[in-house]
Amino acid sequence: MSSHHYFTLDTKLGSLHLQATLELSAPWTILFGPSGSGKTSILRSLCGLLPTQNLLPTHRRNLAYAPQNAAIFPHLTVRQNVAFPLIVRHIKPQIDDLLEIFALTALAERLPRDLSGGELQRVNLARALAVPNPTLLILDEPFTGIDRDTRNRLIPILSALTVPVLSVTHDIEEALLIHTAIQAEVIRIDSGRILAQGPAHEVLAPERSQLLQTLTPTH
Amino acid sequence: MDVPALLLTLRLAALTTALLLVLATPLAAFIAARNSIPRRILQAAVALPLVLPPTVLGFYLLVGLGPTTAVGRTVITLLGHPLAFTFSGLVVGSMIYSLPFAVQPLVNAFQAVDPALTSTAAVLGASPLTVLRHVTLPLSKPAFLTAAVLTFAHTVGEFGVVLMLGGDIPGLTRTLSISLFDQVQDAQYSAANRTALLLLAGSFLALLAVYAKPRRPPLV
């Protein structure tokens, strides 16, 4: 695993001025912030989908990317969708293990229109993991629509990968779950700027104690 | 019924449709992908035959492809004869005349493809050509049928360009619409009636094929 990734972003998107130098040194880094804070724009910039300074187009080549809202190819079956990163690289697709991990084996020959939201999101994650030898796994709200049990089963599987992960969430519980599975770092974002970066239990301390308060029964 | 004219018309329309679909695909991809000044110029140029009198187009093609221009001289050198008053000339004229009918449905279809799908494909490693081949083109399949039917029907019905560029040579450049004109000129009204009815029915059935095609169910 290449342990360090540096990205300098300086992009204006409407009213949002994205200015951030990202240093990804942990095995899993979480971009945390409210809606509209620039989390997805940062991911899209890293993927070369927005004009960004200091980013070579070659970065686009081996990124394992699971976008928000799945973006599953509607004309391809589940198997063809998951195999897509291999097909476009002219590599013989061997994806049975991936289908198994994401509980998609029984759905392999179905078209996306016959799948539920959670199933589509599982296809999205499996397709990202089919990218061969990725340099970075980029997950935008990866567990949206996925039920709690599946999410809890998938987090350790993703944590065990040798590729560094950068994910986006606004869900404190999800961030803490990831931190429990792996020593995750959190980058707190607001208005396109980095407010804090560090171990999840430190950066998310205010939200964590708030969550604990709501969970503690009052007498 | 002028059977040689009917066969020639069908041959012209089939060849024009096949060649135009090949030419229109990259043109439509360029127009759909970029919002730039070259794109607007190209789009306006492609749409010109919609508003230009066919005789004007035919006149420019006749002059432009003749021996007085560099393009015309090159064509004569390559083919050994001028394009005017030949079947090949008719094919070139028909392709230009029907260009918007092939390009516009494809532009609409390419622009309707969700940009999230094409950008995801690119990030997952697909080159722009691979995105076109694996995502944009398969999702635009119905538009190819529309483009083919409209181009075919429009070519069958053309008159001004054919007359200017091809003249009225039986078996070589006389199409069904020219034959109809000749029949009326010669006061053969029952023959003209049959020809007109055939053209009307053909055009109507073509449009029916475009409008009656089943709507796709929502995909995702």
Side-chain angles (χ1 to χ4, degrees):
Chain A
M1 164 171 56
S2 83
S3 54
H4 274 65
H5 286 268
Y6 289 96
F7 301 102
T8 304
L9 309 173
D10 192 349
T11 308
K12 271 197 172 167
L13 299 161
S15 60
L16 185 72
H17 188 179
L18 207 62
Q19 254 186 325
T21 298
L22 295 185
E23 184 189 346
L24 310 180
S25 54
W28 192 317
T29 308
I30 300 164
L31 287 176
F32 185 85
S35 296
S37 58
K39 305 184 300 290
T40 291
S41 299
I42 287 176
L43 290 199
R44 288 176 59 77
S45 293
L46 292 184
C47 293
L49 299 176
L50 297 173
T52 310
Q53 292 173 9
N54 308 324
L55 196 61
L56 294 171
T58 44
H59 282 273
R60 294 155 68 171
R61 284 294 162 239
N62 264 19
L63 292 174
Y65 174 55
Q68 204 175 12
N69 303 326
I72 302 304
F73 306 120
H75 58 297
L76 302 179
T77 62
V78 167
R79 180 183 294 282
Q80 290 165 330
N81 263 285
V82 175
F84 188 84
L86 298 164
I87 292 167
V88 298
R89 289 174 174 80
H90 308 289
I91 298 172
K92 195 182 169 203
Q94 287 176 323
I95 52 156
D96 288 345
D97 289 350
L98 273 177
L99 294 174
E100 190 68 40
I101 290 170
F102 288 92
L104 294 168
T105 308
L107 310 174
E109 306 313 322
R110 287 208 198 160
L111 281 170
R113 63 169 172 248
D114 299 325
L115 302 185
S116 70
E119 288 164 343
L120 288 172
Q121 190 58 16
R122 272 156 37 209
V123 177
N124 188 20
L125 291 172
R127 183 180 60 183
L129 292 185
V131 172
N133 309 314
T135 52
L136 187 62
L137 178 55
I138 297 180
L139 310 174
D140 196 350
E141 304 274 5
F143 303 112
T144 306
I146 289 184
D147 66 83
R148 203 169 272 244
D149 288 347
T150 309
R151 178 188 72 176
N152 296 350
R153 187 174 62 78
L154 287 178
I155 286 175
I157 293 171
L158 294 170
S159 310
L161 297 170
T162 53
V163 56
V165 182
L166 175 64
S167 73
V168 149
T169 187
H170 61 266
D171 182 346
I172 176 70
E173 193 189 330
E174 184 182 309
L176 292 173
L177 258 174
I178 294 167
H179 182 64
T180 310
I182 191 167
Q183 295 297 305
E185 277 221 333
V186 168
I187 300 176
R188 187 191 287 277
I189 304 277
D190 205 358
S191 307
R193 284 165 197 268
I194 294 176
L195 301 183
Q197 176 164 1
H201 63 277
E202 286 176 18
V203 177
L204 297 177
E207 284 89 351
R208 191 164 166 258
S209 47
Q210 209 174 4
L211 185 71
L212 285 174
Q213 268 179 6
T214 56
L215 293 175
T216 310
T218 49
H219 297 286
Chain B
M1 173 64 62
D2 188 344
V3 176
L6 171 65
L7 294 177
L8 188 127
T9 305
L10 293 177
R11 192 155 64 95
L12 175 67
L15 200 57
T16 302
T17 304
L19 292 173
L20 252 191
L21 285 185
V22 174
L23 176 73
T25 303
L27 274 178
F30 179 83
I31 291 171
R34 285 171 182 76
N35 194 8
S36 59
I37 291 171
R39 170 207 169 250
R40 286 178 207 152
I41 292 171
L42 186 66
Q43 197 165 24
V46 165
L48 254 185
L50 287 176
V51 291
L52 211 59
T55 44
V56 174
L57 189 64
F59 171 72
Y60 279 125
L61 286 172
L62 189 64
V63 174
L65 296 173
T68 54
T69 67
V71 177
R73 281 193 294 274
T74 310
V75 170
I76 291 166
T77 311
L78 287 174
L79 298 180
H81 59 81
L83 272 180
F85 309 113
T86 64
F87 182 75
S88 313
L90 279 197
V91 174
V92 172
S94 302
M95 283 176 68
I96 295 171
Y97 182 55
S98 293
L99 192 60
F101 292 85
V103 172
Q104 202 50 50
L106 299 185
V107 170
N108 293 346
F110 292 174
Q111 284 177 336
V113 172
D114 184 353
L117 297 176
T118 49
S119 62
T120 299
V123 179
L124 291 173
S127 67
L129 263 182
T130 313
V131 174
L132 187 70
R133 194 175 139 223
H134 284 280
V135 181
T136 311
L137 292 185
L139 288 175
S140 308
K141 257 190 218 161
F144 279 89
L145 178 69
T146 304
V149 171
L150 289 180
T151 303
F152 191 93
H154 193 240
T155 306
V156 167
E158 72 185 50
F159 179 77
V161 176
V162 174
L163 197 60
M164 290 294 275
L165 192 63
D168 184 3
I169 308 168
L172 193 65
T173 62
R174 182 187 287 172
T175 61
L176 216 51
S177 57
I178 306 274
S179 178
L180 171 65
F181 180 73
D182 289 344
Q183 286 159 350
V184 173
Q185 292 288 85
D186 297 342
Q188 299 172 9
Y189 290 111
S190 47
N193 212 358
R194 283 194 296 274
T195 307
L197 192 64
L198 183 67
L199 285 168
L200 175 71
S203 303
F204 181 73
L205 287 175
L207 290 175
L208 199 63
V210 170
Y211 291 120
K213 82 178 173 248
R215 281 178 184 277
R216 274 191 304 176
L219 288 164
V220 184

